[in-house]
Every structure is written in structure tokens, then in C-alpha cells.
Amino acid sequence: MLAPVIVQLVFVAVIYSTLNSAATSFEKVRRGREAILALQKNEIVFAQMILIFSDTSYIQNPAAYLSAQSRLKIAFKTDKVWTGLKLSDYPELRDAIELGERLQSEFYALYNAGKKAGEKGPQEIQNFVNNVGLNTAINLCLDRRRLSKLILAVEHEQMKAQPVQLAKEREHVIFVFSLMLTAGVLVSTLLAWLFARDIILRLDLVSEKAHLLSAGKTVIRNEQGTDEISELDAIISDAASTLKEVREREAVVLANAADVICSLDSRLRFTAVGEASTKVWHYSPDELLGMSMLSLLSEDTVERTRNAFTQLSEEEKDSESRVENILKTKSGAHKNFVWTINWSKQQKAFFCVVHDVTELRAIEKLKQHFLSIASHDLRAPLSAVSLNITSLLESGDEEVSCGAKQTLTRVQTSVQRLTDLVAELLELEKLEAGKLNLNLAPVAASDVCEEVKELLHGMAQKADVRLQGPVGEALLNAEEKRVVQMVTNLVSNAIKFSPAGSTVKLTITKQDGFGEIRVSDQGPGIAEEECGLIFERFTQARSAESTSHRGTGLGLAIVRALAESHGGEVGVESKLGAGSTFYVRLPLMKERGGVDA
């Protein structure tokens, strides 16, 4: 990852070196020109020196003469010209510099001699000028002219060479820049290719693992790191481990399932079967693969089953259905099975759970047989026994002792309980089988409550329980006879379990399209865990065991079945020691315009 940065740093270093070399070259030219200009300016100093030596006013005035000499020395800048200059760096200036250095030495010698003469007086100055000063100054000026010609020649050569040198430097810079730019592009391209190749190889490995994952094969993690691809590899490896555990659990469940779990294609052929088929159908999964499911069914259930599957496959979305049929096992036995079918439109396949209901159907046949016996072979003899006992008790025959009469009364009570039990069993079976036809009509809930109060008035008086209400009104959509039957059962139970001197209240409410008849007592109450159980067959609350009133345990089951057949429900609200409130909730009659009555 550092390679691109290193390449860029090298590029910057080379460009800097090239530009620095060009700057150094230009700096040499600049300093050479400054030296030339300085040498040219010194020519004026020599001319001024000749004027001083020629002017008698300076010769007669030593102070003015010395002052002028000092100004000439200050103006003479040749000593600063050579500072920092190396003849090896400026070979074209060698002759000019050597001549300049000689002139500089002679100028200072002349200056020092003139200064000594000036300090001695005008006569000495006159002698110095006439003998040495003027001639030496003229010679220096002539030599300075020759130096100027050399300088002009060098400057001319530099002016001619400067554009060429600038062009070379420019071309060199452009060449280096282009070379480094090309090298940078090539290196970046190579690194990008290597990086992309590495990513593609790693992604190919991840893709291969994904295919192995989808195929249910073992996936081994071999990516180590913290980048996104390593994280993806870790996720796939973790998912593979999780799926492996799920498949193992699923295999255990399928191998030990009591129901046959299988899948069928659109032509109803087995594509996958659980191990339970060996135990339930006596066919191994391998034997069933590719076999048509219809070939296992009895002839009378083939068409019904085919129609159920066909109808389900025509649905626009994934859906579920159930169908019951008879299947021939490999051993030749015929068994009843209920198929729970799920259709997958995307996969064009059926996923089924097949439950064996052979024993359940056998039990139902036994139940029907028992009910038939109860209806014909028990009810008639019991009725006859009850009539005979009633006749004996009402005959007034003195031969029947009081003890015998008491025994006959107990027998009659038991016979009546048996008769009620048979009647309630038959009615409950009819309700649960859906054989009850209801004649729905508007029913006033208050009228039902008043009728029930009249029916149970004697029972309430005997138990010293007061019936109060009803409070409220609701127009129900129900069969009046069945509503009376439900409320009678609830009120009679409330009277049975209420203490003497207590009150049973009837209340009518309306809510959410339903009317509710509530029966509240002041009895012992029902434990919370029993409230959901007392509507089952042959079930009574433990608090009922402490009373002398024992029922068949079917009354509340019948009330629930009647309420559900009306599209309603029944329930209880109770706490131990705080009484109970039973309620039956039934649909309200709709008025014109769809408003609840």
C-alpha cells in the first residue's frame, strides 16, 4: 500500500533536483552579470582620479584633495565584485578578473601614495602629480578601457548563449517530468492490476465458499484480516457453521418425527422424504423418490386428493390446505392420513406433513357406536325405570315402607342424572359435529333474562338466593331457545354455588358489535388457573367439590359450543373467595344501514 507514496516521493525528489540545477545555473549567470556591471562602473572612478590630478584647485587645497581621494576610494567597488566568485565556475571571465585584480592593486597603491603627498602639503601634491600620479592615472584609465572591451565581449557571448541555455533547461525539466509521470502511471497501473487481481482471487474464493454453502458442503475459513472481504469470509464461514448445526438438528428431527415430512413436484412425485416413511408407510425414502403419491392412495380417495392439490397450485400466492385420504402401506394395510400441504409458487413444489389419524378415526367410530347405544339402548330403559319408580312413589301403596320410598327417591335421582347425562352427551356431540341448525332472529336479551328468572324462581327460593336484574338491554341475532338454554345453565350454576341469603345479578352490556349477558354470584369463586378449564367436558372447579350439588360436567361445555355456533364466546371472571361472573357474548342484530341495535 506504500508503493504509490514512495513513487510519488521519488518523483518529487527528481523534479526538485532538476529545478534546483536550473536555478543554480541561472544564479551563476546573474552573479556574472553583476560582476561585469560592477567592473564597468569602476571606469568612472579612474576618470575622476585623472580630473583630480589635473585640477589645480585640488592641488592648492590639501583638505579638498584628501576628501576627493576618500570619495574615490569609497566609489571604487572592485573588491566586492570578486566575493564568492570562483574562476572555475566562470572561465569566460578569467582574463577580465585577472586584469581587474591588477587594476585594483595599482589603484590602491596610487591612492595610498597620493594620500601621503596630500598630508605633506600642496608642493608635495604637485610633485606627486607631475612625477607619478597623472601618468599612472592615465595608464590605469587606458587599462580600464581594455578591461571594458573584454567585459563587453563576455557579456555579448552570455547574451547569445542564454536563450540556448534556457531552452536546454526547459527541455530537461519537461523530459524529467514526462519520464517520471510515465513511470508513475506505469507503476500505479501495475499496482492497481496487482491489487485488483488479489481482490478478484479473494472474491473468487468467497464465491466458491458461497456455492459450497448453498450445496450444504463443508466450508473452511482461510481469510485472516480486518478488511471487508475478510469480514465477508468470516460471515460465510459462521453461516456455514450455523447451517451445519441447523441441518444436523433438522436431520435428527426428521429422523425421529412421528409424521412423514416430504416434498412433491408439480406432478405429485416425491422429491424428498423423511425417515419416518419407513416406520409409518414401510417404504424407505429411496423407494419413494420419483414415485407418484397418487399410486399409494386407495381408489376412492385419489380424485379428491388430486383436486385438492390442483386447486392449491392454482392460487396466485403461496398458500396452505389440508386433505384427508386413505393410503396403502407396503405391508398392505390401509391407514387414514391428514395431509397439511404448503404450496410454493416460486419453487413449483408442495411441502407436506402427513399425520396418521387411523387411531383417531377408529376412536371416532367407537364414540359414534357408544352414542348410538346411549341414544337407543340406554335412554329408553332409563326412561322406563324412571316412570316405574314415579308410579310406585305416587301410588300411595301402604306396602311400600318409608325406607323403601327413600331408597326409590335416591334411585330416581340417580336415574334422572343418567338420563340428563345421556341427553347432554347427545346434544354436545350434535353441536360439535355442526349438525345443529339455528333459526336466527332478533332476540331481546332482557326478555331472555326475565324468562330464565321465571324458570328458576322455585330453585332460587329453595336455595334462599335472590335473583336481581336484568340491567341494560341488547337486541341479539340468535335463536331465542338456545339463548335461554345458555343463560339458564349459567344462572342455575350461580344459584347452586351461592350461599343462602346472597344475590345473583344479571347485567346486559353492548360492545364492539356484541351483546353480553353477565351473571354474577357471591359464591366461593374459582382459582385463576382453573378458569380456562371449566368449559371442557367433565370438568368442574375444585370449589364445586365442597358443595352438595354435583353436575355432569357437560353444562358449561354445551354453553361454549352453543355460543361458538352463534359466532360468539363464553367466559368467566373470578377469584377465590370473591365470587364469579360468567358471561355469554353474542352478535348484535344489525339495524337498517348496518348500525348495531
Side-chain angles (χ1 to χ4, degrees):
M1 299 298 291
L2 293 175
V5 177
I6 294 173
V7 171
Q8 295 299 324
L9 290 176
V10 171
F11 174 74
V12 170
V14 172
I15 291 296
Y16 172 78
S17 177
T18 303
L19 294 177
N20 186 54
S21 176
T24 302
S25 179
F26 289 133
E27 179 64 16
K28 287 181 180 180
V29 173
R30 184 186 66 79
R31 294 198 64 186
R33 290 180 63 104
E34 287 181 354
I36 290 169
L37 291 174
L39 290 171
Q40 287 178 334
K41 289 180 180 178
N42 289 337
E43 185 177 358
I44 300 173
V45 175
F46 289 108
Q48 290 177 343
M49 182 175 284
I50 293 172
L51 290 175
I52 292 172
F53 290 160
S54 302
D55 191 346
T56 56
S57 61
Y58 285 107
I59 295 173
Q60 297 302 321
N61 187 351
Y65 170 79
L66 291 173
S67 176
Q69 287 282 76
S70 297
R71 288 197 301 271
L72 288 179
K73 182 181 179 182
I74 293 171
F76 191 78
K77 298 180 179 180
T78 307
D79 55 335
K80 297 182 180 180
V81 172
W82 324 117
T83 304
L85 290 181
K86 295 181 181 179
L87 293 179
S88 59
D89 293 335
Y90 302 92
E92 69 277 9
L93 295 177
R94 179 179 296 273
D95 293 340
I97 291 174
E98 290 177 349
L99 180 58
E101 289 177 346
R102 184 173 63 81
L103 290 175
Q104 177 184 354
S105 177
E106 293 178 358
F107 170 81
Y108 283 123
L110 183 62
Y111 166 79
N112 290 329
K115 182 178 180 183
K116 289 180 181 180
E119 292 173 350
K120 292 179 179 180
Q123 186 60 43
E124 191 66 27
I125 293 173
Q126 183 68 49
N127 292 334
F128 169 74
V129 170
N130 293 333
N131 296 328
V132 180
L134 184 58
N135 292 328
T136 302
I138 292 172
N139 289 331
L140 287 176
C141 188
L142 293 175
D143 288 339
R144 185 65 191 80
R145 290 272 182 105
R146 188 163 61 89
L147 176 61
S148 296
K149 290 180 181 180
L150 287 174
I151 290 173
L152 289 174
V154 171
E155 187 176 6
H156 180 69
E157 291 298 326
Q158 286 184 345
M159 293 296 292
K160 286 174 60 179
Q162 190 173 6
V164 177
Q165 187 177 3
L166 287 173
K168 286 182 179 181
E169 294 294 343
R170 187 186 301 110
E171 290 176 359
H172 183 64
V173 170
I174 293 173
F175 171 76
V176 172
F177 182 82
S178 302
L179 180 63
M180 294 306 299
L181 181 62
T182 303
V185 171
L186 291 176
V187 171
S188 298
T189 304
L190 177 62
L191 291 174
W193 179 80
L194 292 174
F195 183 69
R197 181 171 172 270
D198 179 65
I199 289 178
I200 291 171
L201 290 175
R202 294 173 68 192
L203 287 177
D204 286 341
L205 288 175
V206 172
S207 176
E208 183 179 350
K209 288 183 180 181
H211 287 301
L212 291 174
L213 178 64
S214 64
K217 297 182 180 179
T218 303
V219 176
I220 301 174
R221 182 180 180 185
N222 52 19
E223 277 282 344
Q224 300 295 332
T226 58
D227 60 356
E228 291 79 359
I229 297 178
S230 298
E231 291 178 1
L232 179 60
D233 180 78
I235 290 171
I236 292 177
S237 299
D238 293 342
S241 300
T242 303
L243 284 176
K244 183 179 178 181
E245 294 176 3
V246 171
R247 287 193 181 99
E248 289 175 351
R249 290 197 296 268
E250 183 182 278
V252 172
V253 171
L254 291 176
N256 295 279
D259 295 336
V260 179
I261 301 173
C262 60
S263 61
L264 309 172
D265 61 16
S266 58
R267 297 173 62 182
L268 304 184
R269 294 176 301 185
F270 289 102
T271 56
V273 187
E275 291 291 337
S277 65
T278 305
K279 180 173 58 178
V280 179
W281 295 343
H282 306 294
Y283 286 101
S284 68
D286 292 337
E287 290 179 299
L288 292 172
L289 290 178
M291 184 185 296
S292 173
M293 179 266 292
L294 297 177
S295 65
L296 302 177
L297 303 182
S298 63
E299 294 181 0
D300 56 330
T301 60
V302 169
E303 195 61 33
R304 181 173 73 246
T305 303
R306 180 189 287 113
N307 291 339
F309 276 87
T310 301
Q311 184 177 358
L312 186 63
S313 64
E314 292 174 352
E315 296 287 339
E316 292 295 328
K317 57 183 180 179
D318 295 351
S319 50
E320 180 179 314
S321 181
R322 294 166 67 91
V323 64
E324 183 174 346
N325 52 34
I326 299 175
L327 187 143
K328 297 174 290 186
T329 65
K330 190 175 182 179
S331 62
H334 286 66
K335 293 186 177 182
N336 295 75
F337 292 92
V338 172
W339 294 63
T340 302
I341 315 161
N342 285 277
W343 164 249
S344 174
K345 188 174 180 64
Q346 181 180 3
Q347 301 182 43
K348 302 293 182 184
F350 299 96
F351 299 94
C352 310
V353 178
V354 189
H355 181 60
D356 188 354
V357 294
T358 305
E359 293 184 0
L360 180 62
R361 296 296 175 258
I363 292 172
E364 289 179 352
K365 287 182 179 180
L366 288 174
K367 184 178 71 173
Q368 292 298 329
H369 182 63
F370 167 75
L371 291 174
S372 177
I373 292 173
S375 177
H376 300 288
D377 298 341
L378 286 179
R379 190 160 55 173
L382 287 173
S383 298
V385 170
S386 180
L387 287 173
N388 289 329
I389 293 174
T390 301
S391 298
L392 286 173
L393 291 174
E394 293 178 355
S395 65
D397 193 344
E398 295 180 356
E399 295 181 359
V400 181
S401 65
C402 291
K405 286 183 179 181
Q406 291 177 355
T407 301
L408 288 172
T409 300
R410 289 196 296 271
V411 171
Q412 187 179 31
T413 301
S414 297
V415 169
Q416 185 60 45
R417 287 186 63 195
L418 285 173
T419 303
D420 292 343
L421 176 61
V422 170
E424 289 178 352
L425 273 173
L426 293 174
E427 183 172 16
L428 185 59
E429 178 61 27
K430 185 185 295 183
L431 287 170
E432 292 182 347
K435 297 178 180 178
L436 181 66
N437 295 320
L438 297 174
N439 297 317
L440 301 179
V443 177
S446 60
D447 292 344
V448 170
C449 293
E450 293 293 346
E451 184 176 347
V452 171
K453 285 174 65 177
E454 289 294 328
L455 289 173
L456 300 178
H457 178 71
M459 181 180 180
Q461 276 192 332
K462 186 177 179 181
D464 191 19
V465 173
R466 187 166 68 93
L467 299 178
Q468 179 180 326
V471 177
E473 180 61 287
L475 189 62
L476 307 175
N477 184 26
E479 184 174 334
E480 184 174 4
K481 178 178 67 174
R482 297 300 180 181
V483 179
V484 171
Q485 181 181 355
M486 289 186 280
V487 177
T488 298
N489 187 289
L490 298 181
V491 175
S492 65
N493 283 345
I495 294 172
K496 288 178 187 178
F497 299 108
S498 293
S502 62
T503 301
V504 173
K505 297 180 182 179
L506 285 83
T507 309
I508 302 168
T509 62
K510 294 189 292 185
Q511 186 177 5
D512 299 331
F514 287 86
E516 193 173 274
I517 301 175
R518 302 173 66 86
V519 179
S520 303
D521 63 48
Q522 299 173 334
I526 303 170
E528 185 177 354
E529 62 271 14
E530 294 181 335
C531 289
L533 302 176
I534 57 175
F535 295 98
E536 302 295 332
R537 295 185 182 191
F538 308 111
T539 302
Q540 288 186 325
R542 284 197 294 268
S543 59
E545 297 176 359
S546 60
T547 68
S548 59
H549 301 285
R550 301 300 300 274
T552 61
L554 294 174
L556 291 178
I558 292 174
V559 173
R560 184 178 68 176
L562 285 171
E564 290 176 351
S565 66
H566 281 80
E569 62 179 353
V570 67
V572 62
E573 300 168 358
S574 180
K575 289 184 179 180
L576 279 175
S580 304
T581 298
F582 285 82
Y583 61 86
V584 59
R585 186 178 292 128
L586 300 172
L588 292 172
M589 190 71 188
K590 300 287 185 181
E591 295 183 350
R592 291 183 180 179
V595 181
D596 295 332

